[in-house]
């Protein structure tokens, strides 16, 4: 199946990244938000990201204008009518996502693929509210979307082969390397990433090592772009806690028990970079 038009639900950090890379690689894009203020903010961020690419000589002004011209912002779900593939990138709330999937199923043309960018929630639960379970899968992108080279596709027990193949071709056309994960809590990457983050937070909490020693150790000793505490600040402590609680709720596996410090920091509003304070200060 040939894809021409991509829909993205949500123009937050992940949604706008998915919209940007899709437009840059030649797709027509419709991206929605819940109000004009959020939509304007998201579109301005895409514009700024593309301007940065021009300033760095990665694209020309003309290419930037072409890419921006391919993105249509909307507040109306009906604009997803003629999309070939839609990625839902709303906040991590299963009930909200199920409602969005029910709406998309009603609005989108029969052959359209519906996907979710969830980092931890059960994809089959979203597929089950539609009449096209075989056309539903997870498309888990990584932050920052324009930079990160991976797309983790999540296959439910109902995802059809053609759906998976089409999504895989789409991912490759965006310049991503595609892996296929089962619809199990944490998929592949977060199932490994979260216990690693937990260990770093517990080591810091117990005073085993200073935050800088943990981060520099991993960064230089394992050649990671950033250490685990800096990464948790970037992902967001609230998001990290949400993912842990979601995986724990589904598996009851004690490996995914959130550290007490993480819970307390989130309660205090220390969400990491986005709030100006996490394991480090960003003010
Ligand atoms: N959008 C577009 N480009 C960006 C960007 C953004 N938001 N942030 C950085 N870049 C680009 C820069 O323009 C720069 O490009 P050039 O090399 O061509 O000049 C390049 O990325 C490097 O950026 P910087 O020099 O500014 O900074 P850096 O070298 O410290 O890299 C980083 C920043 C890319 C974020 C890097 O530190 C990194 O890769 N960190 C790890 C990120 C990671 O692990 N992400 C996954 C998080 S987990 C997740 O997303 C899944 C989940 O479900 C929780």
């Amino acid at each position: 199946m040939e894809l021409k038009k991509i829909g993205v639900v949500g123009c937050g950090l992940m949604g706008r990244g998915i919209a940007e890379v899709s437009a840059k690689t030649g797709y027509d894009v419709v991206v929605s938000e819940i109000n004009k203020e959020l939509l304007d903010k998201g579109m301005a961020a895409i514009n700024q990201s593309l301007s940065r690419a021009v300033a760095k000589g990665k694209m020309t002004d003309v290419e930037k204008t072409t890419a921006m011209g391919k993105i249509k912002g909307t507040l109306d779900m009906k604009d997803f009518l003629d999309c070939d593939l839609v990625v839902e990138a709303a906040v991590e709330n299963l009930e909200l996502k199920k409602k969005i999937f029910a709406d998309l199923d009603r609005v989108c043309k029969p052959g359209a693929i519906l996907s979710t960018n969830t980092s931890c929630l059960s994809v089959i639960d979203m597929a089950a509210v539609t009449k096209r379970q075989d056309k539903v899968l997870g498309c888990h992108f990584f932050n920052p979307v324009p930079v990160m080279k991976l797309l983790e596709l999540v296959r439910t027990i109902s995802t059809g082969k053609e759906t998976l193949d089409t999504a895989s071709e789409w991912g490759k056309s965006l310049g991503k390397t595609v892996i296929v994960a089962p619809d199990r809590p944490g998929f592949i990457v977060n199932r490994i990433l979260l216990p690693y983050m937990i260990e770093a937070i517990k080591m810091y909490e117990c005073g085993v090592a200073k935050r800088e020693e943990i981060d520099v150790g991993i960064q230089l000793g394992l050649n990671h772009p950033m250490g685990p505490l800096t990464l948790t600040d970037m992902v967001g402590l609230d998001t990290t806690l949400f993912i842990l609680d979601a995986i724990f709720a589904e598996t009851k596996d004690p490996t995914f028990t959130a550290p007490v410090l993480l819970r307390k920091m989130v309660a205090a509003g220390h969400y990491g970079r986005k709030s100006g304070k996490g394991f480090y200060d960003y003010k």
Side-chain angles (χ1 to χ4, degrees):
M1 175 184 166
E2 201 201 342
L3 304 181
K4 289 204 175 94
K5 193 165 186 177
I6 305 298
V8 184
V9 180
C11 200
L13 191 62
M14 298 306 285
R16 71 174 76 124
I18 298 164
E20 179 186 330
V21 294
S22 299
K24 266 198 306 206
T25 46
Y27 294 96
D28 292 321
V29 178
V30 183
V31 60
S32 72
E33 252 308 344
I34 50 171
N35 62 47
K36 188 173 178 316
E37 194 188 344
L38 288 175
L39 186 61
D40 289 348
K41 192 175 161 205
M43 293 294 279
I46 296 174
N47 193 47
Q48 195 182 2
S49 179
L50 291 172
S51 295
R52 194 161 75 167
V54 173
K56 290 201 163 185
K58 289 185 195 167
M59 70 192 308
T60 64
D61 251 326
V62 174
E63 285 166 341
K64 179 196 154 182
T65 307
T66 306
M68 274 314 286
K70 283 188 163 291
I71 307 175
K72 176 187 161 144
T74 185
L75 301 176
D76 189 349
M77 290 286 267
K78 290 195 197 85
D79 284 330
F80 290 117
L81 171 74
D82 55 349
C83 286
D84 302 304
L85 183 152
V86 180
V87 190
E88 169 278 315
V91 291
E92 291 280 36
N93 174 319
L94 185 58
E95 289 315 308
L96 172 69
K97 285 179 189 288
K98 280 160 68 174
K99 182 181 179 315
I100 292 170
F101 268 76
D103 289 346
L104 287 173
D105 191 39
R106 219 170 13 253
V107 165
C108 295
K109 62 185 179 186
I113 294 174
L114 306 182
S115 73
T116 172
N117 181 57
T118 186
S119 52
C120 57
L121 297 172
S122 167
V123 180
I124 192 65
D125 283 46
M126 297 171 221
V129 303
T130 73
K131 294 188 180 72
R132 56 177 101 191
Q133 285 196 24
D134 61 315
K135 300 214 174 303
V136 177
L137 82 168
C139 283
H140 184 210
F141 287 84
F142 291 79
N143 176 30
V145 179
V147 181
M148 302 301 285
K149 296 191 174 72
L150 186 71
L151 171 59
E152 187 177 40
L153 295 180
V154 181
R155 176 176 30 192
T156 75
I157 52 173
S158 301
T159 306
K161 183 178 179 315
E162 199 195 335
T163 301
L164 196 66
D165 290 347
T166 305
S168 178
E169 286 311 312
W170 174 61
K172 287 179 203 161
S173 75
L174 301 180
K176 307 296 180 195
T177 295
V178 175
I179 59 172
V180 179
D183 184 22
R184 294 287 181 278
F187 313 133
I188 292 173
V189 177
N190 282 343
R191 188 164 167 165
I192 295 170
L193 175 64
L194 272 297
Y196 158 77
M197 285 168 152
I198 288 178
E199 195 54 35
I201 297 168
K202 280 175 27 188
M203 283 173 70
Y204 172 61
E205 184 176 21
C206 300
V208 171
K210 293 186 184 133
R211 59 187 182 179
E212 291 83 1
E213 286 168 334
I214 295 168
D215 277 348
V216 170
I218 293 297
Q219 210 181 346
L220 302 186
L222 297 179
N223 228 1
H224 286 203
M226 45 175 59
L229 298 175
T230 309
L231 180 62
T232 308
D233 276 354
M234 191 189 91
V235 169
L237 275 66
D238 51 339
T239 305
T240 304
L241 180 60
F242 182 87
I243 298 173
L244 279 172
D245 284 347
I247 298 179
F248 184 82
E250 224 181 325
T251 61
K252 304 290 182 284
D253 180 344
T255 310
F256 295 95
T257 309
V260 174
L261 176 64
L262 178 66
R263 211 171 280 288
K264 300 288 181 196
M265 288 175 78
V266 172
H270 300 170
Y271 299 151
R273 251 189 225 184
K274 64 178 135 180
S275 73
K277 188 167 170 56
F279 293 102
Y280 297 90
D281 258 312
Y282 299 90
K283 288 206 177 95

